[in-house]
Amino acid sequence: MAKSRNNLLGVGGQRKKLSRAEQQGAGSARGADRKVAEDKKQELVRKMRERAEAQAATTAAEPGEQPGQSEQDTLPAQS
């Protein structure tokens, strides 16, 4: 029987069947894999932030230009 869009009874999927180990409280390998993936992601984000901060500091400290000063301020006035 086709599902009607107005009748949402039974929508939501099925629950995952637990293995015996998972039923007894032992975590699955999938949980450990997710933890490792999350750790790798956090490490990558940390490295990217450090690189961005270093690049911003290098850009701000270029010789001949002080932070907060625009190009018009550094050019001599023309009469």
Side-chain angles (χ1 to χ4, degrees), residues 5-63:
R5 293 225 183 245
N6 296 328
N7 183 9
L8 296 178
L9 182 65
V11 174
Q14 297 177 344
R15 291 184 179 171
K16 178 182 169 288
K17 298 204 180 209
L18 299 176
S19 67
R20 285 187 178 180
E22 289 172 331
Q23 288 174 358
Q24 294 174 0
S28 67
R30 184 182 351 192
D33 291 343
R34 286 184 183 174
K35 177 68 174 157
V36 170
E38 183 65 27
D39 291 343
K40 286 181 181 179
K41 181 179 176 183
Q42 291 297 327
E43 182 69 17
L44 180 63
V45 168
R46 184 187 62 80
K47 286 180 181 179
M48 290 175 67
R49 283 188 182 143
E50 287 178 358
R51 288 180 186 163
E53 289 173 1
Q55 187 177 13
T58 304
T59 304
E62 285 184 4

Side-chain angles (χ1 to χ4, degrees), residues 59-70:
T59 304
E62 285 184 4
E65 188 173 319
Q66 296 176 359
Q69 199 174 32
S70 67

